[in-house]
Amino acid sequence: MRFEFLGCGIRIIIINKRQDIRRLNYRMEKISIDDVELHLSAPDDVSMPWVGQEDLVTQVLAAWLVIGEDDLPLSPRLLGKPGVGKTTLAYHAGRCLTRPVYLFQATMDTRPEDLIVTPVISEQGKIKYVASPVVSAMIKGGVAIIDEGNRMSEKSWASLAPLLDSRRYVESIVAGIKIKAHPNFRFCTTMNDDASTFELPEYIHSRLQPQIYIDFPERDEELLILKSNLPFADNEILEYVVEFLQTAHEANERYSVRDGINIARYALKRLVESGERLISTDRKKRTARYLKEASSMILDTTASEYFKAMINDIDKEK
């Protein structure tokens, strides 16, 4: 058997490679609470570089600050359009504290037990209790980030209500234990401002404070983000993409820097695949063609029209 973590639960798969179980068990730290053994999730170690807008990092860190013996850290929620870097900001802020960071992807199917403790069948056929990333962060004094928190139902959020106020604990009905948060534990959630989300009740909103809004970056910062994520790209493509993004922002389109990164990445792949490198005489024409193609495939025809008009304008200026 092998346990696969799927965000909203654990699936058990029957396979022949028994070493997978040994490898999983080796990685999972164990802790005992009220004679119940919990297997902790591992923290996330991913590449999420945050570029620019240092004031946003300062706001998150300020929310987490404890300034006196009777003070408590706040649990901010980061709001913004999809793709503006909310998760990256939260993760970067957590790493600034030099503490382990745990990511949990919320979905419409997330259940309370997914957020706290999930029972699974161990290799010996016994029940094994696996702590969620949130609970693992609580125990280890790390940072828990619930991504896209407003895709999660009120019932699931209600299970975290005591954690997000002065009580700072959660209760696992499944394992029959109460789990208290380490003093160094910090919490944050990200939320998209689109329509495909749940409306959260006031008693949850009042616990997720302050509200920090992440907007589209300025041109210079957006170009730095593109360069940071695409260090192998030449300036011509990056300039085209950042010009497209800035034009889209002015027109109140929802295209984000993540969209720009994906457009540039695909256009570059098309150039390399077709053998067009820097020495190619018709690289410019192919670059424009592939950027328009990428924007149409990754976004929509409107984005492709933006690229077409923008490239034509640049050519006229030159």
Side-chain angles (χ1 to χ4, degrees):
M1 290 189 297
R2 180 181 60 192
F3 300 104
E4 287 192 355
F5 291 81
L6 302 177
C8 62
I10 298 177
R11 183 174 62 192
I12 300 176
I13 302 176
I14 306 298
I15 59 175
N16 293 324
K17 297 180 180 179
R18 299 181 67 84
Q19 64 268 26
D20 281 10
I21 283 206
R22 290 195 295 271
R23 191 178 299 119
L24 179 60
N25 287 339
Y26 174 77
R27 290 176 179 173
M28 299 187 77
E29 182 180 348
K30 301 175 186 177
I31 190 171
S32 182
I33 299 177
D34 294 339
D35 297 326
V36 175
E37 187 179 74
L38 286 183
H39 296 253
L40 304 185
S41 301
D44 290 276
D45 185 10
V46 294
S47 176
M48 285 190 179
W50 176 259
V51 179
Q53 301 187 83
E54 287 301 320
D55 57 318
L56 292 175
V57 181
T58 303
Q59 289 174 28
V60 177
L61 294 177
W64 286 338
L65 191 64
V66 174
I67 57 176
E69 186 177 343
D70 296 325
D71 191 26
L72 292 172
L74 296 171
S75 300
R77 67 182 187 269
L78 310 185
L79 302 181
K81 294 179 174 62
V84 295
K86 300 180 294 297
T87 308
T88 301
L89 170 61
Y91 185 83
H92 174 77
R95 294 303 293 263
C96 285
L97 297 180
T98 64
R99 296 176 191 167
V101 180
Y102 298 77
L103 295 168
F104 182 94
Q105 180 62 52
T107 71
M108 296 177 66
D109 299 321
T110 298
R111 304 164 300 171
E113 56 265 38
D114 298 328
L115 289 166
I116 302 176
V117 174
T118 303
V120 299
I121 301 175
S122 70
E123 185 180 19
Q124 295 77 27
K126 298 179 181 179
I127 295 295
K128 171 174 155 182
Y129 295 108
V130 178
S132 73
V134 176
V135 168
S136 298
M138 290 173 57
I139 293 170
K140 298 296 291 184
V143 177
I145 300 168
I146 293 185
D147 197 22
E148 300 188 5
N150 52 345
R151 298 196 189 283
M152 200 162 67
S153 68
E154 178 186 350
K155 182 179 180 181
S156 294
W157 273 111
S159 66
L160 297 181
L163 174 64
L164 302 174
D165 58 28
S166 59
R167 292 171 287 180
R168 284 176 64 83
Y169 68 74
V170 295
E171 292 183 276
S172 171
I173 304 300
V174 171
I177 56 174
K178 180 183 292 185
I179 306 165
K180 296 181 180 179
H182 189 285
N184 290 336
F185 170 71
R186 299 295 184 269
F187 180 90
C188 180
T189 185
T190 70
M191 295 186 177
N192 290 332
D193 64 351
D194 56 17
S196 59
T197 56
F198 284 102
E199 280 293 328
L200 299 182
E202 182 57 33
Y203 77 91
I204 295 298
H205 273 296
S206 65
R207 287 169 163 82
L208 300 173
Q209 299 291 351
Q211 173 179 296
I212 299 173
Y213 187 78
I214 296 90
D215 204 353
F216 294 123
E218 298 295 328
R219 189 185 194 283
D220 291 346
E221 289 181 331
E222 202 152 45
L223 183 58
L224 286 174
I225 294 170
L226 290 171
K227 288 182 176 180
S228 175
N229 285 271
L230 302 166
F232 44 82
D234 60 284
N235 288 331
E236 181 185 30
I237 286 183
L238 298 182
E239 288 288 345
Y240 276 139
V241 172
V242 78
E243 193 64 34
F244 157 73
L245 290 173
Q246 290 295 309
T247 302
H249 300 338
E250 291 176 6
N252 203 31
E253 299 284 357
R254 296 182 67 87
Y255 308 144
S256 69
V257 67
R258 180 167 64 197
D259 297 322
I261 291 169
N262 289 333
I263 289 170
R265 195 185 299 275
Y266 182 72
L268 285 164
K269 292 178 187 295
R270 290 284 278 130
L271 281 169
V272 172
E273 183 271 338
S274 64
E276 297 297 328
R277 302 184 184 279
L278 287 172
I279 58 173
S280 175
T281 55
D282 65 340
R283 176 183 171 85
K284 184 176 179 180
K285 291 181 180 178
R286 286 181 176 268
T287 297
R289 171 185 162 191
Y290 292 147
L291 283 171
K292 287 185 282 187
E293 177 187 284
S295 60
S296 177
M297 294 171 66
I298 291 170
L299 295 174
D300 49 37
T301 54
T302 301
S304 183
E305 289 301 317
Y306 271 114
F307 262 110
K308 182 178 179 180
M310 179 192 68
I311 291 171
N312 289 340
D313 290 343
I314 292 175
D315 290 340
K316 288 178 182 179
E317 290 177 4
K318 291 182 178 180

